[in-house]
Amino acid sequence: MENLKTLYTAIVEGDAKTAKAVAESAIAAGVPPQQLLNEIMIPAMDEVGRLFEANEYFVPELLISARAMKWALEVIKPHLIAGGAQPAGRVAIGTVKGDLHDIGKNLVAAMLEGGGFEIIDLGVDVGADQFLEAYRTKQVDIVALSALLTTTMPSMKQIIDEFKAAGVRDKVKIIVGGAPVTAEYAGEIGADGYSENASSAVTLARSLVGAG
Ligand code: B1M
């Protein structure tokens, strides 16, 4: 457990090398990846957010902590992906226009992949045109939208509205998530579903394509 505290501190302090090394040794010692994620890594990023709100951290500190989180995530990702799931469908995922946060989106993508989905990751700052293009050219079953800022949540509505305007809204499922997003907001903007975290996104996506 002492070692796991080191992982927490390494992420909060932005020490990517230590974060990676501790994650590797924890996995080698048999610590479940979900435990590392939910009890150590996500709480560490929450602490980074708290320090930012308290004006103790600024954007550069957020960036180096995010890098440490990413390095540790790279270590645990293959272990999170359970494997063996039946192919369930194709998902185009992205963080919406104006938003550059991608850690949660990457986690959702990794878990969906583990849940049997083929992933088309459109990256960050993705607008309606790119999601529509992916839908048209890649035959996606689900469009997955992530937003971390209250100011970028309206981009989700714009994307759904563009799918309606293009006459294809009923041909594809659209799911939304991210820290400020709620089930109520998802309903208001006409999404097919909302999930609070990466694991429940898999359950939601599988149920939407009838692979539940
Ligand atoms: Co920013 N940031 N940030 N940031 N950042 C937040 C989000 C903030 C809450 C910090 C704070 O004030 N406490 C705040 C938003 C306030 C608000 O709008 N409500 C904030 C702000 C204000 C900003 C800037 C505006 C700061 C500035 O420049 N003044 C700026 C905006 C830039 C932009 O996007 N245009 C900014 C920039 C950044 C960095 C680039 C420096 C960096 C991101 C680096 C990166 O992602 N590559 C960063 C970071 C690291 C954070 C915090 C500290 C951590 C985010 C994170 O990675 N969490 C964050 C505070 C916090 O969250 N505690 C903060 C860990 C991750 C695993 O969780 O992303 O929530 P999360 O994903 C979860 C769920 O939300 C869900 O599943 C995931 C796993 O369980 N989920 C989905 C996510 N997407 C989903 C999609 C789904 C389903 C579930 O279906 C499709």
Side-chain angles (χ1 to χ4, degrees), residues 1-27 31-33 35-45 65 68-73 75-76:
M1 203 62 198
E2 193 52 40
N3 216 14
L4 299 187
K5 255 192 186 163
T6 313
L7 175 57
Y8 180 91
T9 310
I11 292 174
V12 172
E13 294 180 352
D15 179 352
K17 278 189 187 153
T18 302
K20 179 172 185 273
V22 179
E24 280 167 352
S25 61
I27 291 287
V31 180
Q35 185 188 342
L36 284 179
L37 189 63
N38 295 328
E39 294 177 19
I40 311 290
M41 294 164 61
I42 291 179
M45 288 311 283
S65 286
M69 174 78 171
K70 280 189 175 184
W71 282 32
L73 261 184
V75 173
I76 70 163

Side-chain angles (χ1 to χ4, degrees), residues 37 45 62-63 65-71 73-74 77 93-96 98-111 119 121-126 144-149 152 177-179 198:
L37 189 63
M45 288 311 283
L62 291 192
L63 278 172
S65 286
R67 191 177 67 132
M69 174 78 171
K70 280 189 175 184
W71 282 32
L73 261 184
E74 283 306 312
K77 208 165 99 175
I93 190 167
T95 305
V96 298
D99 201 321
L100 305 175
H101 296 84
D102 69 353
I103 295 173
K105 182 266 296 169
N106 293 346
L107 209 47
V108 172
M111 294 293 283
I119 301 298
D121 189 343
L122 301 173
V124 296
D125 193 20
V126 186
L145 311 176
S146 177
L148 262 285
L149 298 170
T152 57

Side-chain angles (χ1 to χ4, degrees), residues 153-203:
M153 285 167 61
S155 297
M156 293 178 150
K157 180 174 182 324
Q158 275 162 19
I159 292 164
I160 292 175
D161 289 347
E162 289 292 328
F163 271 77
K164 282 184 192 154
V168 295
R169 175 64 190 91
D170 58 342
K171 304 270 194 295
V172 66
K173 302 293 183 192
I174 303 184
I175 63 173
V176 295
V181 182
T182 60
E184 193 188 4
Y185 182 71
E188 263 169 41
I189 64 174
D192 294 298
Y194 156 81
S195 77
E196 191 184 356
N197 56 46
S199 330
S200 55
V202 179
T203 315

